Amino acid sequence: YEPGRYIYDVNWQGIPVGTAEVEVSPEGADSRRRIVARANSAGVVKVFYTLKHVSEVTLRSSPLQPIRFSSRQLENSRALYRTVEYQ
């Protein structure tokens, strides 16, 4: 998982329905990486279904081990929040 920003168009049966982005960046000491993933509905789909999602994870590279995970999602009017701390 090399540092960088990766952007994707999301299609369903050839129809653009959203965008997705994954951003990987170094964080602090001991080869940690922070990965942020975002997804959003787009175009005419927003009229019927609105999605805004962000997930973040901090990983230790060696050995590969999660440190913290959080997720925020707004799906139409429903909000979901999650956070996990690893020992």
Side-chain angles (χ1 to χ4, degrees):
Y1 47 97
E2 289 298 316
R5 188 171 174 213
Y6 308 90
I7 300 172
Y8 304 92
D9 292 323
V10 179
N11 295 291
W12 178 71
Q13 295 187 355
I15 300 168
V17 295
T19 59
E21 175 184 328
V22 177
E23 186 173 355
V24 180
S25 57
E27 182 176 276
D30 68 11
S31 301
R32 291 183 184 193
R33 291 279 190 266
R34 180 171 174 251
I35 301 171
V36 179
R38 296 177 179 87
N40 296 295
S41 52
V44 72
V45 171
K46 281 185 176 180
V47 174
F48 305 104
Y49 180 77
T50 301
L51 173 70
K52 292 182 181 182
H53 177 91
V54 178
S55 287
E56 298 179 33
V57 65
T58 302
L59 300 168
R60 184 172 291 114
S61 295
S62 183
L64 185 60
Q65 182 178 24
I67 297 170
R68 182 176 192 277
F69 170 81
S70 68
S71 175
R72 299 178 305 277
Q73 180 168 310
L74 179 61
E75 204 175 319
N76 292 327
S77 61
R78 190 175 113 180
L80 301 168
Y81 301 93
R82 296 170 197 91
T83 300
V84 178
E85 299 278 342
Y86 298 89
Q87 296 285 331

